[in-house]
Structure formats: C-alpha cells, structure tokens
Short mmCIF file of all heavy atoms in Angstrom, two decimals:
data_model
loop_
_atom_site.label_atom_id
_atom_site.label_comp_id
_atom_site.label_asym_id
_atom_site.label_seq_id
_atom_site.Cartn_x
_atom_site.Cartn_y
_atom_site.Cartn_z
N ILE F 1 0.68 -1.23 5.26
CA ILE F 1 1.33 -1.19 3.94
C ILE F 1 0.29 -1.37 2.85
O ILE F 1 -0.38 -2.40 2.77
CB ILE F 1 2.40 -2.29 3.84
CG1 ILE F 1 3.42 -2.16 4.98
CG2 ILE F 1 3.09 -2.23 2.48
CD1 ILE F 1 4.30 -3.38 5.16
N LEU F 2 0.15 -0.35 2.00
CA LEU F 2 -0.72 -0.43 0.83
C LEU F 2 0.12 -0.98 -0.32
O LEU F 2 1.16 -0.41 -0.66
CB LEU F 2 -1.27 0.95 0.48
CG LEU F 2 -2.11 1.63 1.57
CD1 LEU F 2 -2.38 3.08 1.20
CD2 LEU F 2 -3.41 0.89 1.80
N CYS F 3 -0.32 -2.08 -0.91
CA CYS F 3 0.51 -2.76 -1.89
C CYS F 3 -0.25 -3.05 -3.18
O CYS F 3 -1.35 -3.60 -3.15
CB CYS F 3 1.04 -4.07 -1.29
SG CYS F 3 2.04 -5.06 -2.42
N SER F 4 0.34 -2.67 -4.31
CA SER F 4 -0.27 -2.96 -5.61
C SER F 4 0.78 -2.83 -6.70
O SER F 4 1.74 -2.06 -6.58
CB SER F 4 -1.42 -1.98 -5.90
OG SER F 4 -1.96 -2.22 -7.19
N LYS F 5 0.59 -3.59 -7.77
CA LYS F 5 1.44 -3.45 -8.96
C LYS F 5 0.88 -2.41 -9.91
O LYS F 5 1.49 -2.11 -10.93
CB LYS F 5 1.57 -4.80 -9.66
CG LYS F 5 2.32 -5.84 -8.85
CD LYS F 5 2.67 -7.07 -9.65
CE LYS F 5 1.46 -7.91 -9.98
NZ LYS F 5 1.81 -9.18 -10.66
N ASP F 6 -0.30 -1.87 -9.58
CA ASP F 6 -0.96 -0.88 -10.43
C ASP F 6 -0.36 0.50 -10.17
O ASP F 6 -0.54 1.10 -9.10
CB ASP F 6 -2.46 -0.87 -10.12
CG ASP F 6 -3.26 -0.01 -11.09
OD1 ASP F 6 -2.82 1.11 -11.39
OD2 ASP F 6 -4.34 -0.46 -11.52
N GLU F 7 0.37 1.02 -11.16
CA GLU F 7 1.04 2.31 -11.00
C GLU F 7 0.06 3.45 -10.73
O GLU F 7 0.32 4.33 -9.91
CB GLU F 7 1.86 2.62 -12.27
CG GLU F 7 2.63 3.93 -12.20
CD GLU F 7 3.42 4.19 -13.47
OE1 GLU F 7 3.38 3.34 -14.40
OE2 GLU F 7 4.06 5.27 -13.56
N GLU F 8 -1.08 3.43 -11.42
CA GLU F 8 -2.06 4.50 -11.24
C GLU F 8 -2.65 4.49 -9.84
O GLU F 8 -2.81 5.54 -9.20
CB GLU F 8 -3.17 4.38 -12.28
CG GLU F 8 -4.14 5.56 -12.27
CD GLU F 8 -5.20 5.46 -13.35
OE1 GLU F 8 -5.29 4.41 -14.01
OE2 GLU F 8 -5.95 6.44 -13.52
N LEU F 9 -2.96 3.32 -9.31
CA LEU F 9 -3.50 3.22 -7.97
C LEU F 9 -2.49 3.71 -6.95
O LEU F 9 -2.84 4.47 -6.02
CB LEU F 9 -3.90 1.77 -7.66
CG LEU F 9 -4.40 1.50 -6.24
CD1 LEU F 9 -5.61 2.37 -5.90
CD2 LEU F 9 -4.74 0.02 -6.07
N CYS F 10 -1.24 3.33 -7.10
CA CYS F 10 -0.20 3.79 -6.18
C CYS F 10 -0.05 5.31 -6.23
O CYS F 10 0.19 5.96 -5.21
CB CYS F 10 1.13 3.12 -6.50
SG CYS F 10 1.18 1.35 -6.10
N LYS F 11 -0.22 5.87 -7.42
CA LYS F 11 -0.15 7.33 -7.55
C LYS F 11 -1.24 8.00 -6.73
O LYS F 11 -0.99 8.99 -6.03
CB LYS F 11 -0.30 7.72 -9.03
CG LYS F 11 -0.27 9.24 -9.28
CD LYS F 11 -0.59 9.57 -10.73
CE LYS F 11 -2.08 9.34 -11.03
NZ LYS F 11 -2.44 9.81 -12.41
N TYR F 12 -2.46 7.47 -6.77
CA TYR F 12 -3.55 8.05 -6.01
C TYR F 12 -3.41 7.78 -4.51
O TYR F 12 -3.78 8.61 -3.68
CB TYR F 12 -4.89 7.54 -6.52
CG TYR F 12 -5.31 8.19 -7.82
CD1 TYR F 12 -5.42 7.44 -8.99
CD2 TYR F 12 -5.58 9.56 -7.88
CE1 TYR F 12 -5.79 8.03 -10.20
CE2 TYR F 12 -5.95 10.16 -9.07
CZ TYR F 12 -6.06 9.40 -10.23
OH TYR F 12 -6.42 10.01 -11.41
N TRP F 13 -2.87 6.62 -4.16
CA TRP F 13 -2.59 6.38 -2.74
C TRP F 13 -1.64 7.45 -2.20
O TRP F 13 -1.86 7.99 -1.12
CB TRP F 13 -1.95 5.00 -2.56
CG TRP F 13 -2.94 3.88 -2.42
CD1 TRP F 13 -4.26 3.97 -2.06
CD2 TRP F 13 -2.68 2.49 -2.62
NE1 TRP F 13 -4.83 2.72 -2.02
CE2 TRP F 13 -3.89 1.79 -2.36
CE3 TRP F 13 -1.56 1.76 -2.98
CZ2 TRP F 13 -3.99 0.41 -2.45
CZ3 TRP F 13 -1.66 0.38 -3.09
CH2 TRP F 13 -2.86 -0.29 -2.82
N LYS F 14 -0.60 7.75 -2.98
CA LYS F 14 0.37 8.77 -2.54
C LYS F 14 -0.29 10.13 -2.43
O LYS F 14 0.09 10.94 -1.58
CB LYS F 14 1.55 8.80 -3.52
CG LYS F 14 2.42 7.56 -3.49
CD LYS F 14 3.48 7.58 -4.57
CE LYS F 14 4.28 6.29 -4.59
NZ LYS F 14 5.28 6.25 -5.70
N LYS F 15 -1.27 10.39 -3.28
CA LYS F 15 -1.98 11.67 -3.23
C LYS F 15 -2.77 11.82 -1.95
O LYS F 15 -2.75 12.87 -1.31
CB LYS F 15 -2.91 11.78 -4.45
CG LYS F 15 -3.82 13.01 -4.41
CD LYS F 15 -4.77 13.02 -5.60
CE LYS F 15 -5.76 14.20 -5.52
NZ LYS F 15 -6.70 14.20 -6.66
N TYR F 16 -3.49 10.75 -1.55
CA TYR F 16 -4.37 10.85 -0.40
C TYR F 16 -3.66 10.59 0.92
O TYR F 16 -3.93 11.25 1.93
CB TYR F 16 -5.54 9.87 -0.56
CG TYR F 16 -6.52 10.29 -1.63
CD1 TYR F 16 -6.59 9.60 -2.85
CD2 TYR F 16 -7.36 11.38 -1.46
CE1 TYR F 16 -7.49 9.98 -3.85
CE2 TYR F 16 -8.25 11.78 -2.45
CZ TYR F 16 -8.31 11.07 -3.64
OH TYR F 16 -9.18 11.47 -4.62
N PHE F 17 -2.75 9.61 0.94
CA PHE F 17 -2.06 9.26 2.18
C PHE F 17 -0.72 10.00 2.26
O PHE F 17 0.34 9.40 2.18
CB PHE F 17 -1.83 7.75 2.26
CG PHE F 17 -3.07 6.94 2.43
CD1 PHE F 17 -3.78 6.50 1.32
CD2 PHE F 17 -3.53 6.59 3.69
CE1 PHE F 17 -4.93 5.73 1.46
CE2 PHE F 17 -4.69 5.82 3.84
CZ PHE F 17 -5.39 5.40 2.73
N LYS F 18 -0.77 11.30 2.43
CA LYS F 18 0.46 12.08 2.38
C LYS F 18 0.70 12.94 3.62
O LYS F 18 1.77 13.53 3.76
CB LYS F 18 0.46 12.97 1.14
CG LYS F 18 -0.66 14.01 1.12
CD LYS F 18 -0.61 14.84 -0.16
CE LYS F 18 -1.74 15.87 -0.18
NZ LYS F 18 -1.71 16.68 -1.43
N SER F 19 -0.27 13.04 4.52
CA SER F 19 -0.10 13.92 5.68
C SER F 19 0.59 13.20 6.83
O SER F 19 0.76 11.97 6.82
CB SER F 19 -1.46 14.45 6.15
OG SER F 19 -2.20 13.43 6.76
N ASP F 20 0.97 13.95 7.86
CA ASP F 20 1.62 13.37 9.02
C ASP F 20 0.70 12.41 9.78
O ASP F 20 1.16 11.55 10.51
CB ASP F 20 2.09 14.47 9.98
CG ASP F 20 3.26 15.26 9.40
OD1 ASP F 20 3.93 14.72 8.50
OD2 ASP F 20 3.49 16.39 9.85
N ASP F 21 -0.61 12.58 9.60
CA ASP F 21 -1.56 11.70 10.26
C ASP F 21 -1.46 10.27 9.73
O ASP F 21 -1.93 9.34 10.38
CB ASP F 21 -2.99 12.21 10.07
CG ASP F 21 -3.23 13.51 10.80
OD1 ASP F 21 -2.50 13.78 11.78
OD2 ASP F 21 -4.13 14.26 10.40
N GLN F 22 -0.86 10.11 8.56
CA GLN F 22 -0.71 8.78 7.97
C GLN F 22 0.76 8.36 7.92
O GLN F 22 1.20 7.65 7.03
CB GLN F 22 -1.29 8.75 6.54
CG GLN F 22 -2.81 8.80 6.49
CD GLN F 22 -3.33 10.21 6.60
OE1 GLN F 22 -2.85 11.12 5.95
NE2 GLN F 22 -4.34 10.42 7.45
N LYS F 23 1.54 8.81 8.92
CA LYS F 23 2.97 8.53 8.89
C LYS F 23 3.30 7.05 9.09
O LYS F 23 4.43 6.63 8.82
CB LYS F 23 3.70 9.38 9.93
CG LYS F 23 3.25 9.17 11.36
CD LYS F 23 3.95 10.15 12.28
CE LYS F 23 3.46 10.01 13.72
NZ LYS F 23 4.13 11.00 14.60
N ASN F 24 2.34 6.27 9.57
CA ASN F 24 2.57 4.82 9.71
C ASN F 24 1.99 4.04 8.53
O ASN F 24 1.89 2.82 8.59
CB ASN F 24 1.99 4.30 11.03
CG ASN F 24 0.48 4.45 11.10
OD1 ASN F 24 -0.08 5.35 10.47
ND2 ASN F 24 -0.17 3.59 11.86
N VAL F 25 1.61 4.76 7.47
CA VAL F 25 1.10 4.12 6.25
C VAL F 25 2.19 4.17 5.18
O VAL F 25 2.71 5.24 4.86
CB VAL F 25 -0.18 4.82 5.74
CG1 VAL F 25 -0.65 4.16 4.44
CG2 VAL F 25 -1.28 4.75 6.79
N PHE F 26 2.53 3.04 4.62
CA PHE F 26 3.57 2.94 3.62
C PHE F 26 2.98 2.39 2.31
O PHE F 26 2.05 1.58 2.34
CB PHE F 26 4.70 2.04 4.11
CG PHE F 26 5.27 2.45 5.43
CD1 PHE F 26 4.78 1.91 6.61
CD2 PHE F 26 6.29 3.39 5.50
CE1 PHE F 26 5.28 2.30 7.84
CE2 PHE F 26 6.81 3.79 6.72
CZ PHE F 26 6.30 3.24 7.90
N ILE F 27 3.51 2.83 1.20
CA ILE F 27 3.01 2.42 -0.11
C ILE F 27 4.10 1.64 -0.84
O ILE F 27 5.23 2.12 -0.98
CB ILE F 27 2.56 3.64 -0.94
CG1 ILE F 27 1.40 4.34 -0.22
CG2 ILE F 27 2.14 3.21 -2.35
CD1 ILE F 27 1.06 5.70 -0.80
N TYR F 28 3.74 0.44 -1.26
CA TYR F 28 4.69 -0.41 -1.96
C TYR F 28 4.13 -0.75 -3.34
O TYR F 28 3.06 -1.36 -3.45
CB TYR F 28 4.94 -1.70 -1.17
CG TYR F 28 5.94 -2.63 -1.83
CD1 TYR F 28 7.30 -2.48 -1.62
CD2 TYR F 28 5.51 -3.66 -2.68
CE1 TYR F 28 8.22 -3.33 -2.22
CE2 TYR F 28 6.41 -4.51 -3.30
CZ TYR F 28 7.77 -4.33 -3.07
OH TYR F 28 8.68 -5.16 -3.68
N GLU F 29 4.84 -0.35 -4.37
CA GLU F 29 4.42 -0.67 -5.74
C GLU F 29 5.17 -1.91 -6.20
O GLU F 29 6.39 -1.87 -6.42
CB GLU F 29 4.71 0.51 -6.68
CG GLU F 29 4.21 0.27 -8.10
CD GLU F 29 4.45 1.45 -9.03
OE1 GLU F 29 4.70 2.57 -8.54
OE2 GLU F 29 4.38 1.25 -10.26
N GLY F 30 4.46 -3.01 -6.31
CA GLY F 30 5.08 -4.25 -6.72
C GLY F 30 4.28 -5.45 -6.24
O GLY F 30 3.16 -5.33 -5.76
N ASP F 31 4.87 -6.63 -6.40
CA ASP F 31 4.22 -7.89 -6.04
C ASP F 31 4.14 -8.02 -4.53
O ASP F 31 5.13 -7.78 -3.82
CB ASP F 31 5.02 -9.05 -6.63
CG ASP F 31 4.26 -10.37 -6.59
OD1 ASP F 31 3.80 -10.76 -5.50
OD2 ASP F 31 4.11 -11.00 -7.66
N ILE F 32 2.98 -8.42 -4.03
CA ILE F 32 2.78 -8.54 -2.59
C ILE F 32 3.73 -9.57 -1.98
O ILE F 32 4.12 -9.45 -0.80
CB ILE F 32 1.31 -8.89 -2.29
CG1 ILE F 32 0.96 -8.56 -0.84
CG2 ILE F 32 1.02 -10.36 -2.61
CD1 ILE F 32 -0.53 -8.58 -0.57
N ARG F 33 4.15 -10.54 -2.76
CA ARG F 33 5.07 -11.56 -2.26
C ARG F 33 6.47 -11.02 -2.06
O ARG F 33 7.30 -11.65 -1.38
CB ARG F 33 5.11 -12.75 -3.22
CG ARG F 33 3.83 -13.58 -3.24
CD ARG F 33 3.76 -14.52 -4.41
NE ARG F 33 3.58 -13.81 -5.67
CZ ARG F 33 3.32 -14.40 -6.83
NH1 ARG F 33 3.21 -15.72 -6.88
NH2 ARG F 33 3.15 -13.69 -7.93
N ALA F 34 6.75 -9.85 -2.62
CA ALA F 34 8.09 -9.26 -2.49
C ALA F 34 8.20 -8.32 -1.29
O ALA F 34 9.30 -7.84 -0.99
CB ALA F 34 8.44 -8.50 -3.77
N VAL F 35 7.10 -8.06 -0.61
CA VAL F 35 7.13 -7.17 0.56
C VAL F 35 7.86 -7.88 1.69
O VAL F 35 7.51 -9.01 2.06
CB VAL F 35 5.71 -6.78 1.01
CG1 VAL F 35 5.78 -5.88 2.23
CG2 VAL F 35 4.97 -6.08 -0.13
N ARG F 36 8.86 -7.24 2.25
CA ARG F 36 9.63 -7.82 3.35
C ARG F 36 9.26 -7.14 4.65
O ARG F 36 9.38 -5.92 4.77
CB ARG F 36 11.14 -7.68 3.07
CG ARG F 36 11.61 -8.46 1.84
CD ARG F 36 11.52 -9.96 2.09
NE ARG F 36 11.91 -10.73 0.90
CZ ARG F 36 11.07 -11.30 0.07
NH1 ARG F 36 9.75 -11.17 0.28
NH2 ARG F 36 11.48 -11.98 -0.98
N THR F 37 8.81 -7.92 5.60
CA THR F 37 8.42 -7.39 6.91
C THR F 37 9.08 -8.22 8.00
O THR F 37 9.51 -9.35 7.77
CB THR F 37 6.90 -7.43 7.11
OG1 THR F 37 6.45 -8.79 6.99
CG2 THR F 37 6.18 -6.56 6.09
N SER F 38 9.16 -7.65 9.19
CA SER F 38 9.64 -8.40 10.35
C SER F 38 8.49 -8.52 11.33
O SER F 38 7.68 -7.60 11.49
CB SER F 38 10.83 -7.67 11.00
OG SER F 38 10.46 -6.37 11.42
N GLY F 39 8.40 -9.67 11.98
CA GLY F 39 7.31 -9.89 12.91
C GLY F 39 6.10 -10.49 12.21
O GLY F 39 6.16 -10.91 11.05
N VAL F 40 4.98 -10.49 12.92
CA VAL F 40 3.75 -11.09 12.40
C VAL F 40 3.01 -10.11 11.49
O VAL F 40 2.89 -8.92 11.82
CB VAL F 40 2.83 -11.53 13.57
CG1 VAL F 40 1.51 -12.09 13.04
CG2 VAL F 40 3.54 -12.57 14.43
N THR F 41 2.53 -10.61 10.36
CA THR F 41 1.86 -9.77 9.36
C THR F 41 0.45 -10.26 9.12
O THR F 41 0.20 -11.46 9.05
CB THR F 41 2.65 -9.79 8.03
OG1 THR F 41 3.96 -9.26 8.24
CG2 THR F 41 1.93 -8.98 6.96
N ALA F 42 -0.49 -9.30 9.01
CA ALA F 42 -1.87 -9.62 8.63
C ALA F 42 -2.09 -9.14 7.20
O ALA F 42 -1.80 -7.99 6.87
CB ALA F 42 -2.85 -8.94 9.58
N TYR F 43 -2.61 -10.01 6.35
CA TYR F 43 -2.90 -9.70 4.97
C TYR F 43 -4.41 -9.52 4.82
O TYR F 43 -5.19 -10.34 5.28
CB TYR F 43 -2.44 -10.82 4.04
CG TYR F 43 -0.95 -11.06 4.03
CD1 TYR F 43 -0.34 -11.81 5.03
CD2 TYR F 43 -0.15 -10.53 3.03
CE1 TYR F 43 1.03 -12.04 5.03
CE2 TYR F 43 1.23 -10.75 3.02
CZ TYR F 43 1.81 -11.50 4.03
OH TYR F 43 3.18 -11.72 4.02
N ILE F 44 -4.82 -8.44 4.14
CA ILE F 44 -6.24 -8.19 3.94
C ILE F 44 -6.68 -8.88 2.64
O ILE F 44 -6.07 -8.69 1.59
CB ILE F 44 -6.55 -6.69 3.88
CG1 ILE F 44 -5.94 -5.99 5.08
CG2 ILE F 44 -8.06 -6.47 3.81
CD1 ILE F 44 -6.31 -6.60 6.42
N CYS F 45 -7.75 -9.65 2.75
CA CYS F 45 -8.27 -10.42 1.62
C CYS F 45 -9.69 -9.97 1.33
O CYS F 45 -10.62 -10.32 2.05
CB CYS F 45 -8.22 -11.91 1.96
SG CYS F 45 -8.97 -12.99 0.74
N PHE F 46 -9.86 -9.15 0.29
CA PHE F 46 -11.19 -8.71 -0.12
C PHE F 46 -11.79 -9.78 -1.03
O PHE F 46 -11.16 -10.21 -1.99
CB PHE F 46 -11.11 -7.38 -0.87
CG PHE F 46 -10.62 -6.24 -0.02
CD1 PHE F 46 -9.35 -5.72 -0.18
CD2 PHE F 46 -11.44 -5.68 0.94
CE1 PHE F 46 -8.89 -4.66 0.59
CE2 PHE F 46 -11.01 -4.62 1.74
CZ PHE F 46 -9.73 -4.12 1.56
N THR F 47 -12.99 -10.21 -0.72
CA THR F 47 -13.59 -11.30 -1.47
C THR F 47 -15.09 -11.08 -1.61
O THR F 47 -15.63 -10.08 -1.12
CB THR F 47 -13.32 -12.65 -0.75
OG1 THR F 47 -13.86 -13.71 -1.50
CG2 THR F 47 -13.92 -12.65 0.65
N SER F 48 -15.78 -12.00 -2.26
CA SER F 48 -17.24 -11.95 -2.31
C SER F 48 -17.78 -12.71 -1.11
O SER F 48 -17.04 -13.39 -0.39
CB SER F 48 -17.76 -12.57 -3.61
OG SER F 48 -17.51 -13.95 -3.63
#
C-alpha cells in the first residue's frame, strides 16, 4: 500500500503503478493512521 496525503504524489503513483504486474499494489490518499488492514502490517520508515 502506497500511502500519502500529497495529491500530486498519488497522481504520479497511479501513473506508474497501473499495469497488471502491479495488481497487488494499492494507492491510498490520506492519513496513514486511517489505513485499515487485516493481519500483520509492516510500515516503511525512511530516515537518515
């Protein structure tokens, strides 16, 4: 799940991740805390 509140970033995600090869990739525009999942979830933390 690609998640961001940035409308422009989500627009470009939809542009690139649109083929059948990415059918398990989902785009969520909004707060990461609002994403609802079932089961165990891994969150990616980009840092310095």
